[in-house]
């Protein structure tokens, strides 16, 4: 491991200032993903800026009835928070479906958003990787790509976003609050992460030195019917082959509003906006949900080993929408 300095930030402004003057500095809080990357030399920072003691550890109501999750609130605290379990159950279920209890006790809201890809070619430095070294190539193009993207990928990178929490946050229209040396701003969650394009080394739209301070959940009454469905190779401690976050609002027998996001299919949490538009005003039945699933996967480009993901995703979407339309629960 390379030598680096360790400093403890005294405030958000102090952390942002330290990071902005050292482009090779990195923030550390729970460290559940960063420490793994340090061990295998994926990251070699010049300094680690410890933000774990900053005052960003509260969950509180917003003026409009939503919730503000401090960036240092642990995943466990979010999943167990009574208002989250009651008003945003898909978020609680998404968190509980990922990692182990010990990791959830350490992992933070802000850190969850900043996880790097879990692509095996990215983690194995014996292989080239455009995310590690831009221009070196993407071996997943011709290699084993069973876990890789079917939507929004490029020839530069086929990796998928690893988070469960983020799929639910995308469906819930969350906002990400950030602060840097230029001040504070809010980023709509669907704009926070990036598709790979020609710059796969950039996962987010954070500017240099910017620090996540909170995630804000808007008030969505029908989110109480929200579900999170995760399909994986084994029942625990596995990343999603496919995941779906869905919430359906009914007016009689027709759909008044809907939220739909998909995981395991793209470099970022994939919000199925065209499928959502199609569903508004439609009757609740299997045919409607099947048509929505077809629309959501219309642009899919399966690879050599992951063609199964297309049909699996359609079935997962249909199942999640069906369960939410019946009032929610475990999908």
């Amino acid at each position: 491991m390379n030598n680096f300095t360790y400093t403890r930030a005294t405030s958000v402004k102090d952390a942002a200032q330290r990071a902005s003057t050292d482009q090779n500095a990195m923030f550390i809080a729970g460290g559940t993903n960063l420490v793994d990357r340090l061990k295998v030399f994926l990251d070699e920072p010049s300094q680690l800026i410890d933000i774990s003691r900053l005052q960003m550890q509260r969950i509180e109501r917003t003026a409009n009835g939503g919730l503000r999750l401090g960036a240092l609130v642990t995943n466990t605290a979010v999943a167990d928070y009574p208002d989250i379990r009651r008003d945003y159950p898909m978020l609680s279920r998404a968190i509980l479906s990922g990692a182990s209890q010990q990791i959830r006790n350490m992992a933070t809201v802000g850190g969850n958003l900043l996880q790097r890809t879990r692509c095996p070619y990215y983690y194995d430095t014996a292989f080239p990787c455009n995310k590690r070294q831009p221009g070196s190539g993407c071996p997943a193009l011709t290699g084993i790509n069973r876990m890789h993207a079917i939507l929004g990928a490029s020839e530069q990178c086929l990796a998928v976003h690893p988070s469960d929490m983020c799929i639910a946050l995308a469906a819930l229209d969350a906002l990400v609050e950030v602060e840097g040396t230029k001040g504070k701003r809010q980023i709509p969650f669907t704009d926070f992460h990036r598709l790979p394009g020609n710059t796969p080394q950039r996962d987010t739209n954070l500017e240099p030195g910017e620090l996540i301070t909170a995630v804000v959940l808007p008030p969505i009454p029908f989110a109480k019917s929200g579900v999170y469905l995760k399909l994986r190779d084994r029942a625990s401690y596995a990343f999603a082959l496919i995941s779906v976050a869905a919430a359906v609002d009914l007016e009689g027998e027709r759909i008044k509003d809907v939220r739909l996001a998909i995981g395991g299919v793209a470099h970022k949490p994939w919000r199925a906006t065209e499928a959502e538009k199609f569903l508004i005003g439609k009757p609740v039945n299997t045919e409607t949900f099947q048509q929505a699933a077809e629309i959501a996967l219309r642009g899919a480009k399966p690879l050599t080993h992951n063609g199964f993901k297309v049909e699996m995703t359609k079935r997962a979407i249909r199942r999640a929408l069906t369960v939410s339309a019946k009032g929610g629960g475990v999908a």
Side-chain angles (χ1 to χ4, degrees):
M1 189 177 291
N2 70 303
N3 291 325
F4 57 83
T5 59
Y6 167 88
T7 56
R8 181 175 292 163
T10 58
S11 67
V12 172
K13 288 185 178 180
D14 177 48
Q17 184 61 45
R18 290 177 183 274
S20 65
T21 57
D22 183 354
Q23 294 187 352
N24 293 316
M26 301 186 74
F27 298 123
I28 185 168
T32 56
N33 184 213
L34 175 59
V35 172
D36 284 345
R37 302 198 310 268
L38 292 176
K39 288 177 179 178
V40 293
F41 305 101
L42 291 178
D43 292 311
E44 296 185 307
S46 56
Q47 78 172 299
L48 288 182
I49 304 170
D50 187 346
I51 61 171
S52 62
R53 301 194 184 188
L54 301 184
Q55 298 305 303
M56 299 187 291
Q57 299 159 336
R58 296 179 59 188
I59 301 176
E60 50 197 349
R61 280 286 172 188
T62 59
N64 66 353
L67 283 175
R68 184 177 185 273
L69 316 178
L72 293 177
V73 178
T74 66
N75 286 188
T76 294
V78 175
D80 290 346
Y81 196 72
D83 290 2
I84 296 284
R85 295 173 65 183
R86 182 187 67 238
D87 298 336
Y88 307 94
M90 72 162 69
L91 178 56
S92 181
R93 292 191 181 104
I95 294 169
L96 293 174
S97 74
S100 66
Q101 182 67 58
Q102 292 90 338
I103 290 176
R104 294 196 297 267
N105 288 345
M106 290 296 297
T108 62
V109 168
N112 196 294
L113 271 60
L114 296 177
Q115 291 181 75
R116 299 304 303 272
T117 179
R118 302 305 172 105
C119 172
Y121 296 111
Y122 168 71
Y123 268 87
D124 190 340
T125 56
F127 289 94
C129 174
N130 287 323
K131 189 176 287 291
R132 275 190 278 108
Q133 185 178 352
S136 62
C138 176
L141 283 168
T142 56
I144 303 300
N145 45 39
R146 178 175 178 270
M147 298 290 292
H148 290 73
I150 57 174
L151 291 167
S154 73
E155 290 194 354
Q156 301 299 312
C157 184
L158 303 173
V160 297
H161 186 78
S163 172
D164 292 291
M165 174 192 280
C166 288
I167 310 307
L169 292 175
L172 292 169
D173 285 327
L175 292 171
V176 184
E177 292 186 353
V178 304
E179 184 172 342
T181 55
K182 297 180 181 178
K184 303 177 183 179
R185 65 183 180 122
Q186 287 188 329
I187 307 173
F189 200 86
T190 50
D191 295 332
F192 182 78
H193 295 98
R194 297 166 56 95
L195 291 177
N198 292 319
T199 55
Q201 70 275 18
R202 290 193 62 192
D203 289 338
T204 75
N205 284 310
L206 285 173
E207 297 296 333
E210 280 189 323
L211 176 67
I212 298 171
T213 56
V215 171
V216 179
L217 303 177
I220 304 177
F222 69 93
K224 292 181 179 180
S225 70
V227 302
Y228 186 75
L229 173 60
K230 180 176 181 178
L231 305 178
R232 46 191 163 174
D233 285 326
R234 59 181 188 271
S236 63
Y237 312 149
F239 295 103
L241 286 169
I242 298 296
S243 63
V244 178
V248 178
D249 187 20
L250 299 181
E251 191 170 58
E253 295 298 317
R254 292 189 176 269
I255 298 169
K256 179 181 179 182
D257 205 351
V258 63
R259 298 289 187 276
L260 181 63
I262 316 169
V265 296
H267 196 261
K268 62 181 285 186
W270 191 265
R271 183 73 178 268
T273 53
E274 291 302 314
E276 289 178 347
K277 291 176 184 176
F278 165 80
L279 285 166
I280 303 300
K282 297 295 191 302
V284 176
N285 56 47
T286 300
E287 182 181 354
T288 294
F289 293 154
Q290 181 61 38
Q291 287 180 280
E294 296 288 344
I295 291 170
L297 274 293
R298 196 156 47 192
K301 295 180 180 179
L303 305 166
T304 306
H305 301 104
N306 69 359
F308 70 92
K309 280 193 174 188
V310 178
E311 181 60 27
M312 180 181 281
T313 305
K314 292 177 183 178
R315 295 186 183 194
I317 289 172
R318 192 174 66 212
R319 173 67 177 169
L321 290 171
T322 299
V323 174
S324 179
K326 292 180 179 179
V330 178

